[in-house]
Amino acid sequence: MAGLELLSDQGYRLDGRKSTELRKIQARMGVFDQADGSAYLEQGRTIALAVVYGPHDVRGSRAKIQHDRAVINCQYSMATFSTAERKRRPHGDRKSTEMSLHLKETFEAAILTHLYPRSQIDIYVKILQSDGGNYSACVNAATLAVIDAGIPMRDYVCACTVGFVDDTPLADMNHAEESGGGTNLALALLPRGGQIALLQMDARLHQDHLDTLMEAAMTACKGVSKVLDEVVRQHLQETVILTGE
Amino acid sequence: MILFNSFRTADPLEYHKSFLKENCRPDGRELDEFRTTTLNIGPISTAEGSALVKIGNTAVMCGIKAELTVPPSDTPNKGYIVPNVDMPPLCTSKVRSGPPEEQAQAASQFIADVIESSEIIRKEDLCIQKEKLCWVLYCDIMCLDYDGNLLDTCIVALLAALKNTQLPKVTINKDTDVPEVDLLQKSPININKHPIGSSFAVFDNTIIIVDPTGDEESLATAVMTLVTDEEGRLCALHKPGGTALSGEKLQHCIGRAATRHREIMKLVDKIIESMKK
């Protein structure tokens, strides 16, 4: 992209970060009353809201019922005011449907669905402000919301996007970096065992670089998991204090 | 305590009535007391104006996006405002995904009527050049958590977001006839009037409560929303069916709505002042 240097000679990115530095993550759990679990997460300037209902009876078509596990229903949508240009079709378009499917697959790998046969867990994620890394912010927010709802999971699910510029992996890209052309790899990881829940990359990458990129992505996700863990412990402390002895 | 909760699930109407007899409500409020209202102005930087309002547990986010367009042919010197209320499935377990809920559509129409009747913004102010260019403000109101009293919350969110909106300066290049937008020079919109709504629910034609929660709304025999502005004028009155209400009770409600208007305006002004610092 003419004029925009994603990585300067001194190793600084457009917003002043180093190549392995993540954006600031701030999150709060239990923000809504009606939902069983909810979380609000800010990753840099991307704001995601996740709400979980369940486990409850399967609604809608009875054909969806699984006799041995819970069905997970995910819906991803963006607020019309979340992008610089007003988004005319916030849900139902192909990108949103694809994201919803990815989220569903990610959480099916993490949630212990065999504990809730014949029931349904709904995960709704909404992006209120979009500045790159939408999928990662959604997964991180949804993890916190599922924990807030008390639904057991194998591990935290942490996600991060990484790019590759000038032979250097860039962790946690914002919108300008994502649209600058070049590789975008999204990784959702279960950090303790190093297990990959979802891996997606659309762009060309030489296979020699794949290992470096994967390493960088895993390190970034582990960084995210530390932040999420801190948020959960903080929330628990506050709740314990509020409910008394 | 467990017995109490089963009473609430088994016979919600009797449960609520037992409180109303003592002139109070299950959450400890008086009959004419509103829930705590909190306001967060300007949380979303990608929108031209935004606000997040919570009345009790009901949370509503409003985002304003401004676009340039040609004015409508029947009113060539006016811009326009397009409100849209959305109740996504995340706001309550009773809503399912699919086409917009009827409640959301009815609310959108109500907000459009309030904008029209209260003249919250003079549409002439949105016109940049007659017949050629005007602003269109898309007001997207999204309910994030629903616990009754959607309309009041939406109106406050809309007002706060409009007060927060900054529009860039637009000039039309005389030679090329192309609009030039100067994003560095932003100015707030002129808010003409400040409408604020108050919602009421009626039980059995006798007891009127203010600011019903989700449970109270579903058990009430009638609901009503009144919108007043700062001059004490009535902008809108919405009473969709339900049991009849006497004129005297209606006057009492109008009085309560006027008091509510003052409370909310003080809150909004306080927040805006604190943001300027």
Side-chain angles (χ1 to χ4, degrees):
Chain A
M1 242 176 128
L4 267 180
E5 223 181 42
L6 292 179
L7 193 65
S8 76
D9 300 322
Q10 291 87 27
Y12 290 107
R13 293 150 76 172
L14 288 170
D15 50 6
R17 283 186 288 154
K18 288 260 173 188
S19 64
T20 53
E21 215 177 304
L22 298 172
R23 290 179 289 182
K24 183 169 182 191
I25 300 181
Q26 286 173 306
R28 288 202 44 209
M29 292 166 65
V31 284
F32 293 136
D33 191 67
Q34 289 291 305
D36 295 320
S38 53
Y40 167 92
L41 183 125
E42 278 185 35
Q43 194 164 336
R45 285 165 33 122
T46 300
I47 301 181
L49 200 61
V51 166
V52 171
Y53 285 101
H56 56 72
D57 280 339
V58 176
R59 300 206 188 121
S61 84
R62 303 289 295 274
K64 283 195 291 182
I65 301 182
Q66 300 270 10
H67 70 279
D68 58 347
R69 52 194 150 92
V71 167
I72 299 189
N73 170 36
C74 272
Q75 207 194 53
Y76 164 91
S77 70
M78 294 178 72
T80 47
F81 43 78
S82 59
T83 47
E85 287 273 312
R86 183 172 182 258
K87 208 159 170 47
R88 296 218 166 252
R89 254 195 108 188
H91 36 75
D93 64 318
R94 282 204 307 246
K95 191 86 182 106
S96 302
T97 323
E98 186 193 24
M99 283 281 220
S100 306
L101 194 60
H102 284 163
L103 283 169
K104 177 181 147 86
E105 288 166 350
T106 310
F107 281 94
E108 267 173 3
I111 294 181
L112 300 173
T113 48
H114 62 87
L115 292 177
Y116 304 104
R118 318 188 81 85
S119 50
Q120 180 177 332
I121 298 173
D122 295 315
I123 304 178
Y124 299 114
V125 197
K126 207 157 188 78
I127 295 276
L128 295 177
Q129 193 173 287
S130 167
D131 186 31
N134 288 349
Y135 171 75
S136 332
C138 284
V139 168
N140 297 331
T143 300
L144 291 177
V146 169
I147 293 174
D148 189 44
I151 298 174
M153 289 206 285
R154 289 196 172 81
D155 195 354
Y156 287 97
V157 187
C158 308
C160 199
T161 39
V162 287
F164 204 69
V165 168
D166 292 343
D167 291 347
T168 325
L170 297 180
D172 197 8
M173 299 195 290
N174 59 24
H175 183 71
E177 292 169 338
E178 271 181 3
S179 42
T183 325
N184 277 349
L185 183 130
L187 175 73
L189 190 75
L190 278 72
R192 258 181 297 199
Q195 294 179 315
I196 299 175
L198 185 136
L199 176 66
Q200 189 188 1
M201 187 182 84
D202 326 287
R204 285 199 311 254
L205 181 75
H206 197 286
Q207 67 187 44
D208 293 343
H209 299 311
L210 186 61
D211 281 330
T212 342
L213 206 56
M214 283 296 298
E215 266 305 308
M218 292 224 176
T219 321
C221 286
K222 292 201 171 120
V224 172
S225 79
K226 284 206 194 72
V227 179
L228 295 185
D229 192 45
E230 198 41 59
V231 171
V232 173
R233 285 176 201 279
Q234 180 73 22
H235 178 75
L236 235 119
Q237 260 192 337
E238 286 171 6
T239 321
V240 163
I241 292 171
L242 282 173
T243 49
E245 337 152 73
Chain B
M1 194 59 202
I2 301 169
L3 200 61
F4 212 38
N5 274 333
S6 350
F7 180 32
R8 182 183 180 168
T9 331
D11 196 348
L13 189 58
E14 278 310 311
Y15 174 80
H16 278 91
K17 278 192 176 158
S18 63
F19 282 92
L20 292 171
K21 268 196 275 245
E22 309 295 323
N23 269 351
C24 71
R25 292 144 82 168
D27 54 2
R29 285 188 284 157
E30 297 281 327
L31 296 184
D32 65 349
E33 199 183 322
F34 275 84
R35 289 174 284 182
T36 323
T37 308
T38 47
L39 199 53
N40 180 9
I41 300 190
I44 308 288
S45 53
T46 47
E48 269 70 64
S50 56
L52 172 66
V53 179
K54 277 185 97 147
I55 295 188
N57 289 326
T58 301
V60 165
M61 165 85 82
C62 176
I64 314 266
K65 292 291 287 176
E67 285 181 10
L68 289 170
T69 184
V70 179
S73 46
D74 52 346
T75 52
N77 62 339
K78 291 184 181 175
Y80 50 104
I81 306 179
V82 180
N84 181 38
V85 177
D86 187 24
M87 286 186 75
L90 59 79
C91 69
T92 169
S93 49
K94 299 186 202 82
V95 178
R96 285 280 69 95
S97 44
E101 270 273 304
E102 17 175 79
Q103 191 178 12
Q105 290 188 306
S108 300
Q109 186 55 45
F110 178 72
I111 300 286
D113 291 338
V114 167
I115 293 175
E116 197 55 53
S117 60
S118 66
E119 289 191 338
I120 184 170
I121 291 184
R122 287 183 58 241
K123 294 207 185 131
E124 288 83 354
D125 293 343
L126 293 176
C127 183
I128 301 167
Q129 197 184 60
K130 186 169 167 173
E131 282 174 17
K132 292 267 178 57
L133 201 65
C134 72
W135 284 112
V136 52
L137 293 180
Y138 289 103
C139 309
D140 293 299
I141 304 174
M142 195 170 20
C143 181
L144 298 174
D145 197 7
Y146 179 69
D147 191 20
N149 203 359
L150 180 69
L151 296 175
D152 286 3
T153 329
C154 287
I155 296 174
V156 181
L158 178 68
L159 184 64
L162 284 171
K163 283 194 103 122
N164 176 241
T165 308
Q166 302 262 354
L167 292 177
K169 194 169 150 69
V170 181
T171 44
I172 300 196
N173 189 320
K174 288 196 183 57
D175 310 319
T176 58
D177 228 9
V178 165
E180 285 165 5
V181 179
D182 187 0
L183 287 169
L184 296 169
Q185 269 205 47
K186 287 197 172 177
S187 55
I189 336 176
N190 180 29
I191 309 286
N192 195 24
K193 293 281 190 311
H194 301 78
I196 300 281
S198 306
S199 291
F200 304 85
V202 183
F203 278 86
D204 290 341
N205 318 353
T206 43
I207 310 174
I208 299 185
I209 53 174
V210 136
D211 187 17
T213 63
D215 295 338
E216 289 169 348
E217 255 182 18
S218 52
L219 295 168
T221 48
V223 287
M224 179 171 70
T225 305
L226 276 169
V227 181
T228 51
D229 70 8
E230 66 268 38
E231 289 164 15
R233 298 184 317 170
L234 199 59
C235 304
L237 194 157
H238 183 65
K239 184 185 181 303
T243 51
L245 198 63
S246 70
E248 185 194 313
K249 292 230 166 64
L250 185 61
Q251 284 301 329
H252 171 78
C253 291
I254 296 178
R256 183 71 188 87
T259 324
R260 171 70 171 164
H261 190 283
R262 285 191 287 275
E263 289 164 16
I264 292 290
M265 280 319 297
K266 249 196 281 187
L267 180 66
V268 173
D269 291 335
K270 193 171 80 167
I271 307 273
I272 293 189
E273 271 313 303
S274 66
M275 277 179 65
K276 288 201 184 125
K277 293 189 190 129

